[in-house]
Amino acid sequence: MTSVARLACRSRLVLPVSQRCGIHTTAVARSEATSTVGAVQVQKKPVGGFRGGIVGFLFGFSLASSFAAYHLLDEYQKASAALQASVEELKLSTEKVTAHVRRIESVEKDLKALADASATKEDISRVRTEVKKLYDGLHVEFLDLRAHVWGIQQDLQKLSQKESTAVRI
């Protein structure tokens, strides 16, 4: 160990004095030396360790609380903004749906008006039969008129051949 102490003295390492310069004492000699040298009492300053711990805890707690409150408020504002945006988007989509519903209702109303104004198959078949009856009636009248005109032509022909003055009407 003395070689270590000499080496330490040469290399200027910071070691206790007893190891640096090769001074050795025993535990008994050390205890006597400390008891015989005037015992100087070190005056302890009241550090207030308990008080300092409480103050430190309260400071840390308040700092952590304010940090948490700040982040909580920030998250609340972000969530509130997202909710507001969602509400606005929902409002726009409901307005679009309402406009579509109004257009559908107007189309349904127009369709109902067209359905009421249009004829059904039964109406068309009934009108067709009436037209056929009218056509047949007109055809019969036409044939009667034709027969009448033919009769008049025959009478005129007979008159022109006989030269008689009797006219049939």
Side-chain angles (χ1 to χ4, degrees), residues 138-153:
L138 286 175
H139 187 61
V140 169
E141 286 182 20
F142 174 71
L143 290 176
D144 286 342
L145 187 60
R146 193 177 207 189
H148 185 65
V149 170
W150 184 73
I152 293 175
Q153 282 178 348

Side-chain angles (χ1 to χ4, degrees), residues 1-24:
M1 176 149 193
T2 56
S3 62
V4 172
R6 286 185 187 149
L7 183 63
C9 284
R10 288 183 192 149
S11 65
R12 298 186 189 262
L13 289 175
V14 178
L15 293 175
V17 176
S18 62
Q19 289 182 356
R20 268 190 285 160
C21 300
I23 302 173
H24 296 288

Side-chain angles (χ1 to χ4, degrees), residues 1-58:
M1 176 149 193
T2 56
S3 62
V4 172
R6 286 185 187 149
L7 183 63
C9 284
R10 288 183 192 149
S11 65
R12 298 186 189 262
L13 289 175
V14 178
L15 293 175
V17 176
S18 62
Q19 289 182 356
R20 268 190 285 160
C21 300
I23 302 173
H24 296 288
T25 59
T26 62
V28 175
R30 258 186 263 140
S31 67
E32 284 179 16
T34 57
S35 64
T36 57
V37 178
V40 177
Q41 292 187 356
V42 178
Q43 200 176 33
K44 292 184 180 181
K45 295 180 182 177
V47 174
F50 184 71
R51 206 173 355 149
I54 290 177
V55 169
F57 172 75
L58 290 177

Side-chain angles (χ1 to χ4, degrees), residues 72-144:
L72 184 65
L73 183 62
D74 187 44
E75 287 295 320
Y76 174 75
Q77 288 175 345
K78 287 179 184 177
S80 178
L83 182 64
Q84 185 68 24
S86 176
V87 166
E88 291 295 325
E89 185 177 324
L90 182 63
K91 181 181 175 186
L92 290 176
S93 65
T94 54
E95 288 175 358
K96 286 181 182 179
V97 168
T98 304
H100 287 301
V101 166
R102 285 185 187 140
R103 283 190 5 213
I104 288 171
E105 287 175 351
S106 68
V107 167
E108 285 178 348
K109 190 168 105 178
D110 292 343
L111 181 64
K112 184 173 177 157
L114 286 174
D116 291 342
S118 66
T120 62
K121 286 184 177 183
E122 294 173 358
D123 293 339
I124 292 172
S125 64
R126 190 177 63 232
V127 169
R128 184 177 286 156
T129 56
E130 287 177 12
V131 169
K132 282 183 182 180
K133 286 179 185 178
L134 285 174
Y135 180 74
D136 289 341
L138 286 175
H139 187 61
V140 169
E141 286 182 20
F142 174 71
L143 290 176
D144 286 342

